[in-house]
Amino acid sequence: MAPRCCTGASPVPSRAHGRDARATRMSNHAEMLQWIDAQHGRMRGLVERWASVNSWTHNLAGLATLATQLESDFAILGGEVTLRDLPPQEAIDARGNLTFTPLGKAISIVKRPDAPVRVFLGIHYDTVYPPDDPFQSVDAPDAFTLRGPGVIDAKGGLAVLLIALEALERSDVGDRIGWEVLLNPDEEVGSPGSAALLAGCAARNQVGLVFEPAFPDGSLVSERKGSGNFAAVIRGRSAHAGRDPAAGRNAVVAAADFALAAHGLNGRVPEATVNVGRIDGGGPVNVVPDLAIVRFNARAAQIADQHLIEQELQRIAAEVINRHEVAVQLDGGFLSPPKLLDDRTRDLCRLIESCGQALDIPIRWTRSGGVSDGNKLAAAGLPVIDTLGPVGGHLHSPHEYLRLNTLTERARLCALLLLRLAAGEASL
């Protein structure tokens, strides 16, 4: 675990305010926090209902059903809601051809865009579980735990975002802050369609809050590695394996050479990794194969290391071309650059620490090799904390779980953060 992101947190003033656009104003922080605590059953119900809808990234019907529910549930905030079409996801198929896969709609909600303080809040609503996955239902193995597809990644984060913003809208300082919400349907495949929307959000706002889950011990992420997915399409020349093998150029052998060389980058760049995940290609064993595709992921902790990996991959491709007399087309790249700490993000860390101190919530920080939309927002210049969702674990597995008590805990933390920003108690 990394050291604390920031130090020198100060207590939060005990006085705050609250109002709901449809209800009465709350007069202090204590009343606001009590209101959030009273939403526990509602938050649990929302998570159970949302997680019961299959929202696999490529299940467009399920995503549309959930988007309709989210539109209705978030309407209480009174923001301007827009459903945004996304460009399709591009990928290389098993024949080396570029394919286009449609994506669901992103949900944009904006309120008071001309306010002097502007905050972005975002989280995805897709999951990794296709409709034929056996893990489809939500249950409670005990009184403290909810288990189900997406309960922590990231339906729990959706609930925290909603309740924290609703608390802001109930406050008597809520009208001093403008906010923009983006709920995207493609984060689990790297947000290829919503990347441009995220960049626009980063340009319009001063602070970024993303509601990915916290770590199982409650820690928040300070820095993240960058991640890139690549496909090396290798085209050789087919020939009869018995009569004239020398006339062929074996794409599978060239792919194996490429894969070994790419794997050899591990350890050469500090904290960088290359994982060869799959090789497609080949056919009848009496034919020299003319096509193979190497698919791999690369991660780097620093921008300079990202560029070095990209340069090394180009070098490897050139060497494979020369050795095997094949063509190599390298597709993909680092869609999520490394997320690093800068001074403005450290200030945001300190503010969250002070809110945690006021609420008796220990705030710890850790670095992560995983990526989120926070990588893209930070790369676009926005100071962002991207693990403000509840606590849970076993993401992307049939054991995915959510610690129920942390729904209101993290909503309290984020609501207090928003109220302090709205009241002008922090400058970012």
Side-chain angles (χ1 to χ4, degrees), residues 13 65 116 144 239 343 427:
T65 296
F144 312 102
D343 289 342
S427 176

Side-chain angles (χ1 to χ4, degrees), residues 5 221-226 271 300-306 336-346 349 367-368 374-386:
C5 177
V221 168
S222 56
E223 297 177 279
R224 292 183 182 272
K225 287 185 177 182
E271 297 188 78
Q302 303 293 329
I303 296 292
D305 295 339
Q306 171 187 317
S336 296
K339 178 180 179 289
L340 307 175
L341 282 174
D342 58 16
D343 289 342
R344 291 195 302 157
T345 305
R346 288 189 178 91
C349 290
R367 296 185 179 95
S368 176
N375 291 68
K376 293 180 173 62
L377 293 164
L382 186 69
V384 58
I385 302 298
D386 61 9

Side-chain angles (χ1 to χ4, degrees), residues 122-175:
I123 190 58
H124 61 96
Y125 68 97
D126 62 326
T127 70
V128 299
Y129 307 99
D132 59 356
D133 191 291
F135 189 48
Q136 297 292 333
S137 61
V138 180
D139 65 4
D142 55 57
F144 312 102
T145 310
L146 201 64
R147 182 174 55 202
V151 292
I152 190 65
D153 187 23
K155 308 302 170 59
L158 281 166
V160 171
L161 189 162
L162 173 59
I163 297 303
L165 266 185
E166 193 173 341
L168 172 71
E169 291 303 306
R170 294 176 71 91
S171 78
D172 61 1
V173 294
D175 56 2

Side-chain angles (χ1 to χ4, degrees), residues 316-360:
I316 291 170
E319 291 178 352
V320 169
I321 290 170
N322 290 333
R323 270 198 298 270
H324 298 275
E325 298 180 355
V326 295
V328 178
Q329 175 186 341
L330 195 60
D331 286 290
F334 277 85
L335 295 179
S336 296
K339 178 180 179 289
L340 307 175
L341 282 174
D342 58 16
D343 289 342
R344 291 195 302 157
T345 305
R346 288 189 178 91
D347 288 342
L348 183 55
C349 290
R350 294 189 184 98
L351 179 57
I352 291 173
E353 287 175 358
S354 68
C355 291
Q357 182 180 11
L359 299 172
D360 198 26

Side-chain angles (χ1 to χ4, degrees), residues 378-410:
L382 186 69
V384 58
I385 302 298
D386 61 9
T387 41
L388 291 170
V391 179
H394 294 319
L395 287 67
H396 298 189
S397 86
H399 309 291
E400 181 175 345
Y401 72 91
L402 160 70
R403 282 174 45 192
L404 285 166
N405 66 302
T406 64
L407 285 170
T408 51
E409 175 191 271
R410 298 301 158 124

Side-chain angles (χ1 to χ4, degrees), residues 9-185:
S10 58
V12 178
S14 60
R15 194 169 173 277
H17 309 281
R19 138 181 105 74
D20 182 0
R22 304 181 178 184
T24 58
R25 296 189 176 193
M26 295 187 290
S27 59
N28 53 51
H29 281 168
E31 188 175 350
M32 179 269 290
L33 297 175
Q34 290 172 0
W35 177 84
I36 291 177
D37 287 340
Q39 306 309 305
H40 180 268
R42 175 184 165 204
M43 296 179 77
R44 173 175 177 165
L46 288 170
V47 173
E48 290 178 327
R49 174 159 55 82
W50 293 336
S52 296
V53 178
N54 183 280
S55 57
W56 179 50
T57 308
H58 299 302
N59 180 7
L60 298 187
L63 289 169
T65 296
L66 184 54
T68 298
Q69 291 187 15
L70 293 172
E71 268 194 282
S72 175
D73 293 326
F74 277 72
I76 194 170
L77 301 174
E80 181 180 349
V81 181
T82 306
L83 291 181
R84 299 192 179 277
D85 292 324
L86 301 183
Q89 178 188 4
E90 297 183 7
I92 301 296
D93 67 12
R95 296 302 306 165
N97 299 316
L98 184 63
T99 64
F100 301 90
T101 302
L103 297 168
K105 295 180 183 293
I107 305 170
S108 170
I109 313 171
V110 180
K111 194 165 187 179
R112 295 182 293 270
D114 298 323
V117 178
R118 297 176 303 281
V119 178
F120 169 79
L121 306 95
I123 190 58
H124 61 96
Y125 68 97
D126 62 326
T127 70
V128 299
Y129 307 99
D132 59 356
D133 191 291
F135 189 48
Q136 297 292 333
S137 61
V138 180
D139 65 4
D142 55 57
F144 312 102
T145 310
L146 201 64
R147 182 174 55 202
V151 292
I152 190 65
D153 187 23
K155 308 302 170 59
L158 281 166
V160 171
L161 189 162
L162 173 59
I163 297 303
L165 266 185
E166 193 173 341
L168 172 71
E169 291 303 306
R170 294 176 71 91
S171 78
D172 61 1
V173 294
D175 56 2
R176 302 179 192 175
I177 189 171
W179 50 261
E180 179 173 4
V181 168
L182 184 69
L183 310 179
N184 59 329

Side-chain angles (χ1 to χ4, degrees), residues 168-242:
L168 172 71
E169 291 303 306
R170 294 176 71 91
S171 78
D172 61 1
V173 294
D175 56 2
R176 302 179 192 175
I177 189 171
W179 50 261
E180 179 173 4
V181 168
L182 184 69
L183 310 179
N184 59 329
D186 61 337
E187 192 274 344
E188 294 292 7
V189 294
S191 301
S194 54
L197 295 181
L198 290 164
C201 292
R204 290 187 292 270
N205 294 282
Q206 298 159 303
V207 176
L209 309 177
V210 177
F211 291 80
E212 291 286 350
F215 271 63
D217 67 353
S219 297
L220 280 65
V221 168
S222 56
E223 297 177 279
R224 292 183 182 272
K225 287 185 177 182
S227 176
N229 292 326
F230 296 82
V233 181
I234 300 173
R235 298 185 186 277
R237 184 189 308 148
S238 62
H240 193 290

